[in-house]
Amino acid sequence: MPTTPVLPGLTVVSHPLVQHKLSLLRDQATPTKIFKELVDEIAMLMAYEATADLPLAEVTVDTPLESTTGKRVSGKKLTLVPILRAGLGMVEGILRLVPAARVGHIGLYRDHDTLEPVDYYFKVPADAAERDFFLLDPMLATGGSAASAVNSLKRAGATRIKFLCIVAAPEGVRRLREAHPDVPIIAAALDRELNANGYILPGLGDAGDRLFGTR
């Protein structure tokens, strides 16, 4: 299989636990229950990478023995925004790390005539300009839905957005970066290509169907 060069703006999380769980996730024999757990766990591990640049502020902490100086996350508020429906599978894992994060939702469908994504549901906190957003979708395939979702967030006032996915295709990375070069992409894997039907190869199949048992 030809190697795919790492693309600008893309961070691939190469941690051994992420790569181990990703191999299990790809396996067609993995049942729905285990698939859900793996998506949850991978998202939680990826969140370490995605939150590495959160600002810290010094605080005074009283331990049982004395006072000391510690650090706490400060400043910007974090909001997780899954793209329905598959993005829902990534939310709980990240919330375990950042329980104070808010959760918004974006629902998209593809217009039969224009073939372009259209919002059918959009809900995020009103103070979008003051927040950091993690846009979540297990798959970055063509990049059309991701670019549309970022458009929606920016219209709501968001200026700090990261896109987190588990598997990305080079075509999707390029399209999202061309549309929104200010949005970093964090993935567990950069796969080879899309097939004629827009599925990622080698991929892991339809993430929504595998998460919710509708395959």
Side-chain angles (χ1 to χ4, degrees):
M1 183 179 75
T3 58
T4 305
V6 175
L7 301 171
L10 171 69
T11 299
V12 177
V13 181
S14 59
H15 192 283
L17 288 177
V18 172
Q19 296 305 311
H20 170 81
K21 292 175 186 296
L22 177 60
S23 293
L24 298 173
L25 196 69
R26 291 191 192 273
D27 192 337
Q28 64 179 345
T30 297
T32 295
K33 179 179 181 297
I34 303 302
F35 190 92
K36 285 181 179 178
E37 293 171 356
L38 289 166
V39 168
D40 180 275
E41 292 164 0
I42 291 171
M44 181 173 64
L45 292 168
M46 289 178 62
Y48 281 102
E49 182 73 37
T51 56
D53 59 354
L54 289 179
L56 294 172
E58 289 190 350
V59 295
T60 300
V61 180
D62 293 325
T63 79
L65 300 176
E66 63 180 27
S67 292
T68 187
T69 299
K71 294 181 180 180
R72 291 181 182 172
V73 174
S74 69
K76 302 164 187 173
K77 307 168 186 176
L78 180 61
T79 299
L80 312 180
V81 183
I83 298 177
L84 303 176
R85 61 185 167 139
L88 290 171
M90 300 176 68
V91 172
E92 291 301 322
I94 301 176
L95 279 178
R96 282 202 296 277
L97 282 183
V98 195
R102 300 283 183 87
V103 179
H105 297 87
I106 295 180
L108 299 169
Y109 71 88
R110 192 169 300 277
D111 184 276
H112 292 297
D113 295 325
T114 66
L115 301 182
E116 290 300 314
V118 178
D119 291 352
Y120 68 83
Y121 187 79
F122 181 84
K123 187 71 172 179
V124 298
D127 57 346
E130 302 173 16
R131 293 184 167 272
D132 281 321
F133 286 88
F134 287 179
L135 187 59
L136 311 176
D137 196 338
M139 315 292 287
L140 178 57
T142 66
S145 294
S148 177
V150 173
N151 283 336
S152 297
L153 285 175
K154 287 184 174 180
R155 283 196 300 269
T159 59
R160 298 182 299 273
I161 304 167
K162 293 181 181 180
F163 184 85
L164 277 65
C165 62
I166 294 177
V167 176
E171 296 91 333
V173 173
R174 292 190 186 100
R175 181 169 179 181
L176 181 54
R177 290 292 296 172
E178 287 170 3
H180 301 286
D182 58 324
V183 175
I185 302 168
I186 301 170
L190 177 63
D191 278 10
R192 188 176 72 248
E193 62 187 357
L194 296 179
N195 67 11
N197 296 319
Y199 281 89
I200 301 174
L201 297 177
L204 47 81
D206 187 303
D209 284 346
R210 296 191 68 187
L211 274 166
F212 299 108
T214 52
R215 52 178 167 161

